């Protein structure tokens, strides 16, 4: 079965988009065409609610264009799952948030996980998602490494060892059995971390690709009743007028 | 004590902004200057997650400008509380979401409330907020009237009686003691509804004004530690580059 | 708008009533008349469930008298919110519990708070309130300073620095962004604590005054349907016969 | 093993105290001495938060006296469990609330129960207890019969058939497997109801007697650490000065 | 990538095993070898906790043998997910419960789902799983069709239309956007139901196959720390002595 | 009142069965006949989900036989409450799980408890039960001593002091007021532990005996509606065919 999946890095940092695309492509099945993009506008990293507002614009724009381009499904490659519900409204096929995907996988292969993330200020965002996805009994703690998102892009930095150390502390102190990586920028480190800590580490981008492939192959897309029904056609004004949802034929 | 509060109608429908402004001004204390705006861009009504993405852009833009204009606090006048957390990041003073405000008031004056809202497709948004604000034990049900947001703006329509009827059903069937009005467009009907149903009806816009006044007068604004800390300075690219958070002096 | 609000210190310690009254008066709007009382009977401090039973008697008695005296609203100035629901049954206007008020304010200006209180034995009471008010996701921890309520009344004691130290630990260890002061006897320290710790500290008495003013000005009082309906008229016997609820004309 | 258990009817209606006492005595083991009392002061029935305040005074007074009289344990025979935590503070042995006891038994013998109670205004009280006792997943609904507490004391009334009918509706509509009787005044009807509906009906008074006997025989009483530690000695003033907790020798 | 997945129908009804196997095979990727089995012992259908005890024995036996046979992962094809945690202890690779899989998929493609199941007595089992998987906010109701499991195996019965009718009622009355089929015996009806009701219907067997394929291809298996660590080696006695976990080399 | 209660040690270690039987017999009322058994097949200790599957078989077999032998009720003497719901389906009288019993007692005599258990790998099982029984607000932590179940059977080991030390840490660090012993093998240590730590320690076996006695004497057994209705008659095949539920006359 052939299919086209769009991976959207909601931030504009091309080196991260490259890493994400490589991880996604490696994970994809033979018949799957993976296209990885970042929006042409927005923040270089998402480290708070304000950054997220502008990144969300890019996400929904990429899904909007993706529908015209014939994509069968989408993965949002930022741990905050920005724009997830709006994207599901405009997409025919499934839209996967990497955080939701990673937590679902973690709840299958373990009885408790820790999230290991970047800056402390982002933890409340993770905690909101844990609550929204009903993972309170499974997620034992969300942890910060103190690294910024772009620290992960610096060649030769100690980011890798800082993350491994925090993952080890998580297993020990939180009584967790598995680690959910809390940033798409860690996608390339997943296998290394897992080997170092002797327990599964989960990257939501690659899990998202497999979930999207699975749902698409079963013909399961966003339900168009009630919650994720297509936007009602209406005119928008001003700088966003081009995004107005038109009538569906 | 004098203070300036900006009321932001996240949609672009001026007649609704007018009604909201009138209700807010009537509710304000003598020394309070109320300025009510809608953004220059965005959807005319917010009826789903997709609309909300673009309305949110307008909300944070108005708060951003408001900080430069010297506002002491803000009320977001749409029942979905769009952009609430991002707005709190960039505001020095308090930012009130009308849904959070209304539910807090309802939980003080009653032991259980129903939300009476517009279209059925918006109910899941209300249910998310109920969960986010910890109101599961207080909110007995979120109900739809089947009215669109702009039906409320049509002179001579039967919207008023449709809403009153739904509120009556809510009191009877949900065992609720009070009604939370689920749309800023109902602000002008609040007193009428309350009189007709013989129980309190709560409009979050006016409650939001009083909450904002109260917190401002006590010197309580958005905590700048962790969750609502100012955005980190960084460059944005493309059409949103003008919104990039600069350094704070 | 002029209004009369009664602040009820449920314990009988006059020095604390004085402090509470001063804080409340300072917080009130120009047209608000603040009257602060303690009941003529009851315990000098409330440090457990047993003390609370007798303090509650005083609270409802003060509200009962307050209705005859023409008060428009009430604030219960003890962090356990004793007698809150009974008071709402007999009051026409709003009745604010300082704990509920403080937690609501904290959930607006921060993404997580700690309660800093007096004796360890009182923490379970705070935890019950956190659960009753749906604040489990917002309250990160209830903490004890080890101080008794009346330690706060001793001139020249180190209570102030003990509290500031515990607040600092809360911010650091609990990942909280703001502090809710867990005793009405700390009302006078609120500004000092906030300055020392560099984050908002919230005193529920003053927040309660502003909430009461706001709800009164909007005409919102205790719903008289179901949960807070007036007590049914009946005869009481023995030493409490004078409190029997009579018929309402 | 011989023991003395005090059953406290928190209201002052002697006919109800008689019924409760008879049910308790029938349930007790041979060596158990049952003493059933109502306080000398308070309301004739508890139908709201205000009534409960005054009934609570009587409950704690009876436990206070009971400790001097050498009772080994207590059952509070009103479905609101008034004064339960305060009573546990002053009692050495176990104090059982009939609502907690009934819900615990129901959660052992069924996978879901309904509470069938008296007036609609009391249902919120039952819902609070369901939440406090962690029974949200077990209690499928709290229902009102519309009967007042004292309707149950009227000879020849149709109260019995009204209750049976409501219990039948509960089994059918709520998908419940068992009924928790929501008023101590129904203690004498328990067996009759159970026979009529063909499913277990549970009266918390008798379950409370068995729980008290069981805990006493195992030497398990109220933990005197933290939550239920004895009240701190202090002076009370005014009409309640006689209740002041003294020093413990 | 080639892999071997064992689908375990925990009951012994071969016609159902056949249907399940056909659905699983159709869903599998080209390189996946699907083997579908029922245990050689156990009940013909699982309609209660007692049946489940014996079916569980068969499930763990099949996983135990599967490990020796070189399977890479497992799907438990009964909506009660019997033996799921025990299977995860003994399996190297992932073990998917069809109920967990179906609910995860439903929570991605909709904002609320209903479970449509067989006999009423099984609903409490579904409700337990909803709670265990943290799906309380997503699952709006578990519904019974009144059909027994084996009714689904009767050629020419009206089971199909009974199920479709119940699904329609669920969409209408529960405000659900999608249906989770609550029995593996409905696997062959999934597409038909979905077409008839105009909304997604989800069969957990096929979703389970895709999830297993995805996790296996990413190298994600049951974490061997703590919760799902291999059983400790010990001797069992009596009729189950052959199942004793031996030492791992 | 005379009655027969069967205590089932789900593991096959006779020394533990002996200890449990002694504790149960000491706790029983004069007219109660206590019979304590372990199944003739199964694991010598239950330390994980896999062991539990086989122990469950033994539990339901003992209850099945017990019904024929005329027992009035049952206590399952393993802290995982294995087979509890299945046993309730086939038993006429009450079936008590020692974990549920212990947690219920702890929630009566304290405002918060810790579970002190054996191996770390078993803690997730305890956490599941805490959630299933709605004890999240009462159970402050489940703790491991690192002891295996059979360590408790070794004469002269330091198990006793290891447990006492962990209980002391629990009281101190978890802010708990009472200890729930997390293994039936600690039944004989209960009084000793309680004396050493100066706070109540609860053994669920003895509490279970008293609960069973109480419910039996009140005529309260497993509700035969819906959730715990008798198994439907059907044929089982293979090695478990002898357990097939027959028709009820």
């Amino acid at each position: 079965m052939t299919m086209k999946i769009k991976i959207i890095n909601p931030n504009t940092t091309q080196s991260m988009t490259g890493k994400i695309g490589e991880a996604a492509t490696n994970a994809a099945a033979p018949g799957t065409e993976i296209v990885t993009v970042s929006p042409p506008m927005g923040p270089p990293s998402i480290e708070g609610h304000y950054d997220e507002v502008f990144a969300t614009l890019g996400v929904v724009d990429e899904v909007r264009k993706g529908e015209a381009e014939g994509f069968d499904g989408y993965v949002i490659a930022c741990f905050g799952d920005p724009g997830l519900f709006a994207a599901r409204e405009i997409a025919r096929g499934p839209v996967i948030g990497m955080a939701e995907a990673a937590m679902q996988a973690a709840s299958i292969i373990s009885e408790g996980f820790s999230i290991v993330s970047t800056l402390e200020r982002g933890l409340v965002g993770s905690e909101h998602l844990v609550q929204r996805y009903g993972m309170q009994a499974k997620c034992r703690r969300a942890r910060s490494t103190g690294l910024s998102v772009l620290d992960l892009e610096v060649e030769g930095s100690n980011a890798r060892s800082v993350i491994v150390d925090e993952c080890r502390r998580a297993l020990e102190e939180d009584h967790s059995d598995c680690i959910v990586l809390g940033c798409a920028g860690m996608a390339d480190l997943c296998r290394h971390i897992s080997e170092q800590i002797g327990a599964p580490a989960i990257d939501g981008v690659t899990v998202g690709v497999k979930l999207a492939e699975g749902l698409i192959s079963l013909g399961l897309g966003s339900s168009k009743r009630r919650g994720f029904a297509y936007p009602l056609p209406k005119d928008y004004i001003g700088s966003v007028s081009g995004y107005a949802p038109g009538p569906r034929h």
Side-chain angles (χ1 to χ4, degrees), chain A:
Chain A
M1 186 168 185
T2 63
M3 59 182 76
K4 286 175 64 180
I5 297 176
K6 195 176 205 177
I7 316 295
I8 304 167
N9 172 16
N11 76 36
T12 60
T13 298
Q14 293 301 328
S15 61
M16 194 179 298
T17 311
K19 280 197 307 191
I20 289 167
E22 198 175 317
T25 303
N26 288 342
T32 304
E33 180 186 344
I34 295 285
V35 177
T36 309
V37 300
S38 350
M41 76 286 212
S45 59
I46 305 175
E47 294 167 319
H49 305 292
Y50 184 83
D51 287 345
E52 192 175 310
V53 167
F54 299 95
T56 297
L57 198 68
V59 169
V60 298
D61 189 36
E62 290 297 337
V63 174
R64 203 176 58 93
K65 290 186 292 185
E67 289 296 286
E69 295 156 355
F71 280 95
D72 298 296
Y74 305 87
V75 177
I76 301 177
C78 166
F79 200 77
D81 292 353
L84 183 60
F85 292 166
R88 285 174 179 166
E89 273 187 6
I90 54 175
R92 197 180 24 85
V95 184
I96 314 293
M98 72 170 278
E100 188 171 23
M103 292 194 223
Q104 288 188 346
S107 72
I108 288 175
I109 66 170
S110 78
E111 292 206 303
F113 60 85
S114 294
I115 298 170
V116 171
S117 190
T118 49
L119 296 181
E120 165 124 0
R121 68 178 293 154
L123 295 187
V124 287
S126 297
E127 290 165 359
H128 285 170
L129 294 181
V130 165
Q131 187 185 16
R132 187 166 88 179
Y133 300 143
M135 293 287 171
Q136 296 99 321
K138 291 298 188 75
C139 178
R140 295 182 175 278
R141 187 162 159 200
R143 285 169 163 269
S144 153
T145 54
L147 296 165
S148 76
V149 170
L150 297 185
D151 284 345
L152 301 171
E153 301 305 298
V154 179
E155 295 279 346
S157 81
N158 68 339
R160 183 184 283 237
S161 69
V162 166
I163 296 168
V164 167
D165 288 352
E166 192 68 29
C167 291
R168 284 201 180 106
R169 269 193 295 276
L171 293 179
E172 207 54 49
E173 297 173 9
D174 310 348
H175 302 289
S176 288
D177 298 352
C178 129
I179 301 294
V180 165
L181 299 177
C183 180
M186 301 177 185
D188 57 329
L189 306 177
C190 185
R191 190 169 301 261
H192 172 74
I193 292 168
S194 191
E195 285 165 9
Q196 292 292 308
I197 64 174
I202 295 178
D203 158 49
V205 175
T206 49
V207 173
V209 168
K210 303 315 287 181
L211 262 178
E213 287 179 343
L215 294 174
I216 292 166
S217 81
L218 297 174
L220 292 170
S222 305
S223 171
K224 288 304 165 195
R225 281 179 62 90
R226 233 174 68 119
F228 298 141
Y230 287 115
L232 298 172
K234 57 184 72 163
D235 290 331
Y236 288 5
I237 66 168
S239 62
V240 299
S241 60
Y243 298 101
R248 306 197 67 83
H249 320 288

